[in-house]
Amino acid sequence: MNNLLETFGGNPQDECRAIFASLFVLQNRLQSAGEKIEEELTMKQWLLLAITSICPPPRTFTNIGAIMGCSRQNVKKLAAALESRGYLTIEDGAGNSVQLSLTDKAEQYGQTMQTRHATTLQLLFEDFDEQQIDDLFASIMKLYRGVERVEAYASRLSQ
């Protein structure tokens, strides 16, 4: 990590490149570590359960995919695996849509893993004070707006 600071620090354009690359590196490292902490699920499966629990109805593949930032097909694949393992149900919804619902097994798993999740967050943000967490949150919200602009750009390029 010190190498990143030495190589890219001080030049805003280089720092943006380093931040961009770091987002992917951090995602990979968090996924790898998280899958050692999560006993039964992949991180993407865990994310699907977490998003399903907070998604306002209707909890369709499309709506959950929009929150997760992936296609409805990816949600469908993850949901099918979780349904076969008893973590959620896939039920017919309005029109051709389906609804996802968490099962008691998912709720129990969440309660079982609660301490591990709390410890994970504590370790991840241990070096941050409250103001830095607020600043990071605000910066990530700005990144989301930037991603929306990149998505619009990508859409224009593909037309």
Side-chain angles (χ1 to χ4, degrees):
M1 296 313 289
N2 289 338
N3 229 3
L4 269 177
L5 291 173
E6 291 172 11
T7 304
F8 297 104
N11 178 326
Q13 188 173 11
D14 287 342
E15 288 175 346
C16 286
R17 288 184 182 121
I19 291 167
F20 181 77
S22 292
L23 292 172
F24 295 99
V25 172
L26 287 168
Q27 186 275 331
N28 287 336
R29 291 181 67 185
L30 280 170
Q31 183 170 346
S32 179
E35 289 180 358
K36 293 174 185 168
I37 294 167
E38 290 288 332
E39 296 176 325
E40 300 176 27
L41 306 175
T42 68
M43 290 305 295
K44 289 184 181 186
Q45 290 171 336
W46 170 83
L47 181 61
L48 176 60
L49 292 179
I51 296 297
T52 300
S53 73
I54 63 164
C55 181
R59 294 179 181 96
T60 64
F61 293 148
T62 301
N63 291 346
I64 291 172
I67 296 169
M68 288 179 65
C70 65
S71 70
R72 70 178 303 286
Q73 291 83 4
N74 286 344
V75 174
K76 183 177 181 179
K77 182 179 174 183
L78 290 168
L82 289 167
E83 182 181 42
S84 72
R85 296 177 62 200
Y87 287 97
L88 56 78
T89 59
I90 302 172
E91 303 160 346
D92 290 333
N96 290 333
S97 72
V98 296
Q99 302 277 335
L100 301 181
S101 299
L102 298 178
T103 64
D104 289 340
K105 183 176 180 178
E107 300 289 343
Q108 291 168 354
Y109 182 74
Q111 291 172 3
T112 300
M113 295 301 293
Q114 192 170 22
T115 300
R116 287 186 186 192
H117 291 168
T119 301
T120 299
L121 288 176
Q122 188 273 325
L123 292 169
L124 188 59
F125 295 102
E126 189 171 272
D127 295 330
F128 292 80
D129 63 30
E130 285 185 30
Q131 183 60 53
Q132 290 170 322
I133 290 171
D134 287 345
D135 292 344
L136 180 59
F137 184 81
S139 295
I140 288 173
M141 293 301 103
K142 289 180 182 182
L143 273 174
Y144 274 112
R145 289 193 298 275
V147 168
E148 289 171 356
R149 289 189 295 272
V150 171
E151 289 170 336
Y153 174 64
S155 179
R156 288 191 306 273
L157 287 177
S158 66
Q159 294 177 352

